[in-house]
Amino acid sequence: MTKILAGGVGKTEVTQTIKQLGIEGLEITASSDMDAAMKLRVAQADYYLGTCHTGAGASLGVLVGLMGSAVCHTFGRSVPTEEQITALLDEGKKVFGFSMDQIDTIAPLMARAIAARG
């Protein structure tokens, strides 16, 4: 079971959006950023999806500080392709930030790309 934590101001919306997809093998839970960082560090979670109004700093601030920028990526206000997401996952990224107004588009893309990894 792959565990995804959702945080930031849109954590409830991200959680609901991904749950509604009904993807087997994915567990999504709303979380605080601090709790998420601790769970990621001890392998109690696999990925974090953070949201804020711009998709930049606030969506990942605590995670970048505690996990390091090497595992973090923000899409800001851009919408990535499935190929871009897959490439980032292949690079070892586990923490992603995006803007609240992109939840309906990016959350399903992220969930499907993560699920495809098996």
Side-chain angles (χ1 to χ4, degrees), residues 2-118:
T2 301
K3 296 180 182 181
I4 302 171
L5 301 175
V9 293
K11 65 184 171 190
T12 302
E13 293 86 346
V14 170
T15 302
Q16 290 171 347
T17 299
I18 292 177
K19 280 185 178 179
Q20 289 173 355
L21 297 173
I23 298 174
E24 293 271 336
L26 282 189
E27 178 184 309
I28 178 84
T29 307
S31 176
S32 71
D33 50 4
M34 187 64 97
D35 189 48
M38 295 304 120
K39 286 182 177 178
L40 286 164
R41 288 177 77 157
V42 297
Q44 291 178 355
D46 302 295
Y47 298 95
Y48 176 83
L49 305 178
T51 52
C52 68
H53 293 286
T54 64
S59 64
L60 299 182
V62 169
L63 280 291
V64 170
L66 294 175
M67 301 288 299
S69 61
V71 298
C72 300
H73 179 81
T74 183
F75 297 112
R77 299 200 35 80
S78 66
V79 176
T81 64
E82 187 176 330
E83 293 78 20
Q84 289 169 320
I85 293 170
T86 299
L88 291 165
L89 292 170
D90 288 346
E91 291 173 19
K93 304 291 185 191
K94 296 180 175 293
V95 177
F96 297 90
F98 50 95
S99 65
M100 282 189 57
D101 63 347
Q102 304 292 351
I103 290 172
D104 290 343
T105 304
I106 296 178
L109 282 171
M110 290 299 309
R112 290 184 183 108
I114 289 168
R117 301 183 76 70

